[in-house]
Amino acid sequence: MYPCDAEHARRWHGACASDAELRDLSAAAEIAFCVASGAQRLTFVFREGRYAGGEGVEAPAFTLVADATDWARFFRPVPPPAYQNFFGMRMRVGSARVEGSELAMAQHAHLVRRVLEIGRETLGGTCIEPDPPRRSKTHLRAGYVEIGIDGQPVDVFYESAGTGPDVLLLHTAGADGRQYQDLMSDTQLTQRCRLTAFDLPGHGRSDPWPGVAPGAYALTTERYAQTILAVMDALKLQRPVVSGSSMGGEICLEMAYRAAARLSGVIACEASDHVPGRATPWARHPRINQSLFVPEWVDGLMAPQSPIACRKKVWWGYSQGGYATFAGDIDFYTGDWDGRDRVAAIDTRACPVVMMTGEYDYSCTPAMSQATADKIPGAVFWSMPCLGHFPMTENPSRFAVHFNRALDLLGV
């Protein structure tokens, strides 16, 4: 069966039965699903909240299907980009699909992810890097500033570290500024600049967006840009470099276009002038546990090398987002934002542009970022090996090397 023979299947089932993480994730689970290639399939059953092996089910709720060659790529210790996770295969690999209940698959994405990880571990091992040393956060300076949105006051939370030229850091969709805490503990960085991260309204520790009912939030380019400028004013940041990843990288391009005189440059990570295909109905579906599904939806965007402790920080942060906050941000990331008609007008003499994208980002791929950089006269782009969509959090030490290079280019 694809690269999985009878002996691997036996070891796979045995490893699932003894895996502590899968046991903890299986609470209240009653589901059976298959992994299949052609006529060959392997079944995984959960009963009464426990893993129950692969027998005794006539019709699974859903089946994960891909060609044998694509499953072989998935099960490599170092899978190629997009093959590190089944959601990535669904988006970028033609043979990958779900047969049966898409709803059931979304409801049990956490079990699917861990079962497939165990399959890779038992077949060929992994390429996961060791967890980095713990970094203290006691040096971080934190507080609130008041900004105005639609004529109403909003208290926005921020953290900062270091001294020198200002660098403003923007978090990803559905997340908050905690994503940068490890980067802000890098002494090489804090000795060369002052790093500041803030939580958008309705995210993390900031106040909610004024006048927005739960579930009604949808971020727009205009509101995002105006919020960034308001935070810069409130914090008295003088021509900062602005850096962000994902939706934060996209808005960096917009800020370079509309507010060049206010900035010393931008570092746009995991960014493109347009990113289609990342909206999902399951992020605000009433029969989906958002605090389980959203972390799983983004988990696969990380590189397979990323240390487990760092990956868990990303997962845990995404499990804490407010209702439909992630979905409302995605309305900007893959909907409202479309810079195809204006990125070519960015003046990099006034606001230099550096773009960087992790090689394992299957949402905004390096090729997409390169194509955007090619439209911006004077922009610089490179791909970041062994990193994915959340480079500053999933592997801060690797990312810091690229970040320092970008700061060098911007003269910081």
Side-chain angles (χ1 to χ4, degrees):
M1 181 180 181
Y2 30 97
C4 174
D5 57 19
E7 173 58 21
H8 176 222
R10 183 189 67 78
R11 289 190 290 113
W12 191 352
H13 280 303
C16 286
S18 62
D19 186 71
E21 182 178 352
L22 188 61
R23 180 195 63 220
D24 294 338
L25 290 172
S26 301
E30 291 282 346
I31 194 72
F33 63 88
C34 287
V35 177
S37 175
Q40 297 178 313
R41 57 192 55 223
L42 194 62
T43 303
F44 299 87
V45 182
F46 295 82
R47 294 193 186 97
E48 298 178 352
R50 304 178 68 178
Y51 183 69
E55 305 294 336
V57 174
E58 293 184 5
F62 58 91
T63 300
L64 313 178
V65 180
D67 290 346
T69 54
D70 287 326
W71 279 124
R73 294 184 181 100
F74 174 90
F75 284 114
R76 290 178 189 173
V78 186
Y83 287 89
Q84 72 266 27
N85 179 275
F86 192 75
F87 280 133
M89 292 174 64
R90 281 284 304 280
M91 188 169 188
R92 300 297 180 193
V93 177
S95 75
R97 64 188 186 277
V98 175
E99 295 180 351
S101 173
E102 292 267 3
L103 173 62
M105 193 276 188
Q107 290 171 327
H108 299 89
H110 55 303
L111 302 182
V112 168
R113 186 260 307 165
R114 185 56 192 150
V115 164
L116 291 178
E117 285 178 345
I118 293 169
R120 180 182 290 141
E121 292 165 6
T122 57
L123 181 64
T126 66
C127 58
I128 300 171
E129 296 178 6
D131 290 341
R134 178 184 176 275
R135 295 186 178 186
S136 173
K137 303 179 183 65
T138 56
H139 66 289
L140 295 175
R141 303 182 294 274
Y144 283 90
V145 290
E146 182 181 293
I147 66 172
I149 296 176
D150 298 334
Q152 300 185 56
V154 177
D155 288 329
V156 169
F157 182 87
Y158 73 94
E159 291 176 321
S160 66
T163 57
D166 283 310
V167 178
L168 184 63
L169 304 169
L170 310 177
H171 60 74
T172 62
D176 58 61
R178 286 177 295 175
Q179 291 181 317
Y180 289 98
Q181 287 179 336
D182 284 334
L183 192 71
M184 294 165 70
S185 299
D186 185 301
T187 55
Q188 184 179 2
L189 283 171
T190 56
Q191 288 171 3
R192 73 181 297 177
C193 58
R194 180 172 66 164
L195 300 162
T196 300
F198 74 96
D199 302 348
L200 273 175
H203 297 66
R205 298 145 291 186
S206 290
D207 282 355
W209 293 98
V212 177
Y217 164 67
L219 185 62
T220 65
T221 302
E222 185 63 31
R223 173 164 278 193
Y224 198 177
Q226 292 301 322
T227 299
I228 292 168
L229 292 172
V231 170
M232 286 169 48
D233 289 339
L235 290 171
K236 298 180 171 57
L237 304 184
Q238 301 299 315
R239 298 195 71 234
V241 169
V242 177
S243 179
S245 291
S246 186
M247 76 169 194
E250 290 179 340
I251 200 65
C252 281
L253 300 178
E254 177 68 21
M255 298 303 291
Y257 169 75
R258 70 160 63 189
R262 300 286 307 274
L263 310 177
S264 292
V266 299
I267 304 173
C269 304
E270 323 306 320
S272 174
D273 56 6
H274 185 58
V275 180
R278 283 304 289 172
T280 172
W282 310 122
R284 55 172 20 124
H285 194 283
R287 296 179 66 186
I288 297 291
N289 182 345
Q290 178 186 326
S291 66
L292 266 179
F293 174 78
V294 171
E296 294 295 339
W297 180 246
V298 303
D299 181 82
L301 290 165
M302 290 182 276
Q305 296 91 343
S306 297
I308 291 174
C310 297
R311 295 178 66 102
K312 286 184 175 179
K313 283 186 179 181
V314 176
W315 196 102
W316 185 247
Y318 268 96
S319 75
Q320 299 177 58
Y323 171 64
T325 298
F326 174 77
D329 285 342
I330 294 299
D331 287 343
F332 162 79
Y333 172 69
T334 197
D336 185 80
W337 164 251
D338 190 339
R340 289 175 290 185
D341 64 345
R342 57 190 183 277
V343 294
I346 294 173
D347 184 357
T348 57
R349 295 167 300 180
C351 181
V353 174
V354 177
M355 298 180 66
M356 312 183 297
T357 295
E359 68 166 328
Y360 277 93
D361 187 349
Y362 59 77
S363 175
C364 176
T365 66
M368 294 166 64
S369 297
Q370 179 71 73
T372 297
D374 289 345
K375 298 177 183 178
I376 305 172
V380 177
F381 168 79
W382 64 86
S383 176
M384 297 182 286
C386 303
L387 288 170
H389 193 74
F390 306 96
M392 65 290 192
T393 313
E394 65 179 85
N395 205 325
S397 295
R398 276 190 179 273
F399 178 64
V401 175
H402 297 282
F403 201 70
N404 273 298
R405 177 185 171 188
L407 292 175
D408 289 342
L409 288 174
L410 296 175
V412 175

